[in-house]
Amino acid sequence: TVYPAVVGGRAAVMKVAHCPTVADASLVREASVIASLRHDRVPRLLGGTWERDGASGRPVLGALVLSPLGIPLLAALDRLIAKSQPAWAVLVFAVDAVLATLADASAPDRAVRWSHCDVRAPNILLTHSPAVPGGGGGGGRGGFDVIVNDWGVAKRATEATMKSDLKAAKALLTLF
């Protein structure tokens, strides 16, 4: 579950795992991946909270605090369609940004190469609702950029995981 938060005057979200256990390390994995990537199109990790596992009493990561906020890709596209504006340009820009982010995350020069392993529309956010869809430009022309979110099931990049991410990113183009 995700809740709005403010950290140091900056809008953020708190991603909370309900009843986290030591066996479920998805938030630890996500925090580790985000911290190692340090990428403009990956959320910034602002902090987290630790809880005690109810069964073992061992510490477990119970929440992450992430920034920036974003608008789900599908919601942004629906808003454009409702205004009779061409959403395809925003979609193409978003897919291009996702592919660039995935390529960077798995680049050979990284100390640890990552594959997202859950590329799908709900995990793609736009930093703002596009005001003027016009062939991309991201933070410039439309006033928005892309965030590739939810790295909780990421794995070390292999040929197979990178192909799977590429196939999933290409599938985003079929949203229309």
Side-chain angles (χ1 to χ4, degrees):
T1 307
V2 178
Y3 301 98
V6 177
V7 177
R10 179 190 313 183
V13 294
M14 181 173 276
K15 182 176 183 178
V16 177
H18 293 284
C19 301
T21 65
V22 173
D24 175 23
S26 65
L27 287 182
V28 171
R29 175 178 300 280
E30 185 166 8
S32 176
V33 172
I34 289 171
S36 72
L37 286 175
R38 292 189 182 107
H39 192 282
D40 289 344
R41 290 189 169 136
V42 172
R44 284 182 296 286
L45 180 61
L46 302 179
T49 62
W50 292 88
E51 301 177 20
R52 295 272 176 207
D53 179 330
S56 70
R58 294 174 46 199
V60 61
L61 190 58
L64 298 177
V65 181
L66 306 166
S67 177
L69 301 180
I71 300 164
L73 175 61
L74 288 177
L77 295 175
D78 286 346
R79 289 178 190 175
L80 291 170
I81 292 167
K83 294 178 183 177
S84 299
Q85 295 178 331
W88 65 267
V90 172
L91 178 60
V92 169
F93 173 78
V95 171
D96 180 61
V98 168
L99 289 169
T101 304
L102 295 173
D104 189 55
S106 62
D109 62 340
R110 284 199 168 271
V112 179
R113 299 170 59 213
W114 293 105
S115 288
H116 188 276
C117 299
D118 195 20
V119 177
R120 55 195 180 91
N123 292 336
I124 310 305
L125 306 175
L126 303 183
T127 56
H128 298 90
S129 189
V132 182
R141 301 217 24 209
F144 68 95
D145 206 351
V146 174
I147 303 166
V148 181
N149 198 32
D150 201 352
W151 291 80
V153 296
K155 295 180 181 171
R156 300 260 176 148
T158 65
E159 194 69 27
T161 60
M162 291 186 299
K163 283 182 181 178
S164 179
D165 276 357
L166 174 61
K167 186 176 181 179
K170 289 179 2 184
L172 293 171
L173 291 171
T174 65
L175 292 174
F176 286 110

